[in-house]
Structure formats: structure tokens, C-alpha cells
Amino acid sequence: MSRTDLAWLAVAAYALHIMEERLLDWLGSARRSLQITMEQDNYRLIEGVFLILGAVAAMVAASLPRRMRPWFAPSATRTRVRSAAARPVRPAATARQPAPPPR
């Protein structure tokens, strides 16, 4: 299953979740038990925004590169710096020799 298929599956699952909340009157129940003061219009707007954001993410998922480096993976520059620091120092014999003095 591709990343795009999974993203559209998540959008469909969220749409079913919205239907479930409306059928079971979750907002009315939350108003009674949690004493929240959210209007029906605001609640529907928030649900709609999240549904649209999910659909946009599913559309963009197809254009993303196949393999992306996770945010927690070390960057290439940090890896190079670490490996350069671990290299041994060149011995003095192979180091650059100073230029001879002028005549």
C-alpha cells in the first residue's frame, strides 16, 4: 500500500469519525457532561478545516520523494564533521614542508 493510499484511507476514516460524532450527537453530550460552550457552527467549521487539510495532505503525498530523511536523523554535515574529527592527524614527515628561504 502506497503512502498516498494510506493518506486517503486516513481522510476516509476521519470522515467516518465525523459522521459517527454527528449521529451520536457528541457535541450535545460534551456540552452536558463537560460544560463546554462551543457552538454547532464553530464545531462544524473545525471539522471541515481538518478534513480539508487531510485531503490536501493526501494530494501532496503523491508528489513527495520516495525516501525522505526523518527529522530526527543526523544530517550529512554533522556526520562528516564527526568523521573528520575522528581521522588521525598526518605525521610531520608527510605534512607540507616550509618554503626555502630566498637567496
Side-chain angles (χ1 to χ4, degrees), residues 32 42 76 89 103:
R32 287 187 300 278
N42 294 343
V89 178
R103 293 186 194 173

Side-chain angles (χ1 to χ4, degrees), residues 25-37:
D25 189 31
W26 181 86
L27 184 60
S29 174
R31 281 184 188 154
R32 287 187 300 278
S33 63
L34 301 174
Q35 282 83 31
I36 61 172
T37 57

Side-chain angles (χ1 to χ4, degrees), residues 69-102:
R69 186 175 56 82
W71 62 270
F72 53 84
S75 70
T77 56
R78 278 190 265 153
T79 305
R80 270 188 257 127
V81 169
R82 280 190 219 129
S83 63
R87 286 187 204 138
V89 178
R90 287 188 283 175
T94 60
R96 270 184 143 175
Q97 298 297 326

Side-chain angles (χ1 to χ4, degrees), residues 45-64:
L45 177 69
I46 291 169
E47 284 183 335
V49 165
F50 280 118
L51 193 62
I52 290 170
L53 285 174
V56 168
M59 285 187 253
V60 170
S63 65
L64 291 175

